[in-house]
Amino acid sequence: MAFLDFLTEEIAIDLGTANTLIIHNDKVVVDSPSIVARDRATGKIIAVGREANMMQGKTHENIKTIRPLKDGVIADFDASEKMISMLIKAIPALKKKLFPPSLRMVICIPSGITEVEMRAVKESAERVNGKEVHLIHEPMAASIGIGLDIMEPKGNMIVDIGGGTTEIAVIALGGIVCDRSVKIAGDVFTNDIVNYMRTQFNLFIGESTGEKIKIECGSALDDLENPPNEMEIQGRDLLTGKPKSVLMTHKDVAKALDKSIIRIEDAVMETLSQTPPELASDIYNSGIYLAGGGALLRGLDTRLSNKTDLPVYISEDPLRAVVRGTGIALKNLEIFKNILVR
Ligand SMILES: Nc1ncnc2c1ncn2[C@@H]1O[C@H](COP(=O)(O)OP(=O)(O)OP(=O)(O)O)[C@@H](O)[C@H]1O
Ligand SMILES: [Mg+2]
């Protein structure tokens, strides 16, 4: 239906556990936390994205905030479909249209997702006017977004540390040669910090505070070249019940995250040990690329580099690497048709 193509709009979506991003006309037009707020009485979604995120931890009994994706899989289909639909409708250029345009989409999905879930994502997308819906696996999209030439006969290793999962993949000739997905990523890091505050300082903090600590004062190493300032944290004293505050440093966070980071290191080592020798020698020369929000954790690159004896590079703007790659796949569907999920 090429003659109707002018009525079709193209969008690329990174449906992430922590963040959903959308590219339209080469621009990131949506970059929003993957969260919705629902009215318990009517079941209606009253807010999505940033607005819903601000309600998190502060809701009363009539409002519930939901993260539709958990651990890299869809935990609430209905909420996830409504979230996608509301975010698409909020794209400024599409809002102006008289009729909702039909959409050609490439959606990036976590690689741990099942057939049934894949079909559900596709059907959700079709219900929001998707007339041509393609799916792509996250490590593929991340590799394209980083600018790696994934079609070459050369191995590349990519580690995408998102909110729900860390996906480790060796890619060559447009395919995933070996991969691992572990459910240790940003959400677990945040939880580690919340638990650490409880056990070390008797301080009860919420998830949002835990995440703030991770971003502002987070570290994977005790020794950092440019350590962040110490941070004053407020919460509730578990013994007295009163609000109190404590000072913490990046060393506290490094201690809190240590066990989880060891599990990521182990998964990287296992993937390396399963890599065929010819590709291993490529990786020896080209190193490991990090993407996803977790790549921004201070010292994580150094730690992985020490563990593997390989150079480790943080991709440019790692939070957007996946959506960038999804956008490139969308614009070059013919070139990338074989790497899309069939
Ligand atoms: N500066 C930072 N330091 C440490 N962690 C960070 C930083 N910035 C963001 N993060 C974390 O990165 C995670 C989000 O990353 P990203 O958007 O790549 O995940 P996602 O794609 O939504 O999740 P997934 O790929 O698992 O479905 C969150 O847990 C967030 O707290
Ligand atoms: Mg992701």
Side-chain angles (χ1 to χ4, degrees):
M1 290 290 171
F3 71 99
L4 282 177
D5 247 17
F6 70 97
L7 290 175
T8 306
E9 296 285 340
E10 298 192 322
I11 58 173
I13 306 182
D14 168 14
L15 185 58
T17 312
N19 299 298
T20 296
L21 292 93
I22 303 182
I23 285 185
H24 175 246
N25 288 341
D26 300 324
K27 273 204 294 285
V28 175
V29 289
V30 172
D31 181 348
S32 141
S34 303
I35 180 164
V36 299
R38 183 186 268 152
D39 184 319
R40 278 187 207 260
T42 62
K44 249 184 91 166
I45 304 286
I46 49 174
V48 45
R50 238 159 263 291
E51 204 188 328
N53 199 37
M54 293 210 292
M55 299 180 180
Q56 209 185 8
K58 299 182 179 173
T59 50
H60 51 76
E61 60 183 16
N62 291 338
I63 300 177
K64 189 179 177 211
T65 54
I66 305 163
R67 290 185 46 192
L69 290 97
K70 257 214 146 66
D71 297 334
V73 297
I74 299 174
D76 185 328
F77 283 106
D78 180 56
S80 111
E81 180 169 332
K82 293 212 168 94
M83 181 177 81
I84 298 173
S85 147
M86 285 170 84
L87 291 176
I88 290 176
K89 282 187 190 136
I91 299 174
L94 302 190
K95 248 193 324 205
K96 278 190 262 160
K97 303 247 163 183
L98 207 49
F99 302 103
S102 58
L103 301 169
R104 180 176 301 123
M105 309 188 203
V106 178
I107 306 178
C108 175
I109 47 165
S111 59
I113 191 167
T114 63
E115 287 279 322
V116 176
E117 289 173 329
M118 253 187 250
R119 207 167 321 126
V121 171
K122 220 168 167 174
E123 282 166 11
S124 288
E126 282 159 5
R127 275 193 289 272
V128 294
N129 253 359
K131 82 162 187 188
E132 196 186 313
V133 182
H134 306 278
L135 305 178
I136 183 169
H137 279 308
E138 188 153 14
M140 276 298 184
S143 308
I144 300 171
I146 287 174
L148 303 178
D149 184 353
I150 58 164
M151 298 302 191
E152 321 180 84
K154 177 173 171 290
N156 282 298
M157 179 177 250
I158 171 122
V159 179
D160 174 358
I161 307 158
T165 53
T166 292
E167 312 222 357
I168 303 153
V170 173
I171 291 174
L173 290 168
I176 296 178
V177 181
C178 47
D179 67 335
R180 270 234 140 55
S181 170
V182 287
K183 292 184 196 309
I184 307 277
D187 288 343
V188 171
F189 295 164
T190 300
N191 249 323
D192 288 340
I193 294 171
V194 172
N195 288 335
Y196 181 87
M197 299 308 280
R198 190 182 302 152
T199 51
Q200 291 293 311
F201 299 111
N202 279 319
L203 189 74
F204 187 37
I205 59 167
E207 237 173 73
S208 309
T209 307
E211 174 156 16
K212 196 160 165 237
I213 297 171
K214 178 179 71 180
I215 291 172
E216 284 177 24
C217 194
S219 173
L221 284 174
D222 259 1
D223 290 321
L224 287 177
E225 259 174 45
N226 293 308
N229 293 334
E230 60 180 7
M231 209 176 154
E232 187 181 340
I233 319 296
Q234 278 106 20
R236 172 155 62 79
D237 189 306
L238 279 165
L239 298 177
T240 65
K242 291 188 227 168
K244 81 165 178 185
S245 89
V246 301
L247 278 178
M248 77 182 295
T249 67
H250 73 278
K251 294 193 181 191
D252 288 301
V253 185
K255 222 178 281 163
L257 302 185
D258 189 49
K259 278 207 184 83
S260 297
I261 293 171
I262 289 176
R263 292 193 51 192
I264 293 179
E265 287 175 335
D266 288 347
V268 171
M269 293 306 290
E270 276 167 37
T271 317
L272 280 172
S273 72
Q274 284 175 2
T275 305
E278 297 295 333
L279 298 179
S281 80
D282 292 338
I283 294 167
Y284 180 81
N285 291 311
S286 60
I288 299 175
Y289 295 89
L290 298 186
L296 292 167
L297 185 70
R298 293 174 193 81
L300 186 62
D301 50 343
T302 311
R303 217 175 133 162
L304 284 173
S305 176
N306 292 344
K307 180 81 189 179
T308 56
D309 290 326
L310 294 171
V312 175
Y313 306 101
I314 302 171
S315 64
E316 198 192 322
D317 201 358
L319 281 159
R320 292 187 168 186
V322 168
V323 79
R324 264 197 319 267
T326 311
I328 294 170
L330 173 72
K331 287 193 76 176
N332 303 282
L333 277 177
E334 211 27 60
I335 300 175
F336 289 114
K337 67 171 185 275
N338 287 331
I339 64 151
L340 298 168
V341 181
R342 262 165 285 185

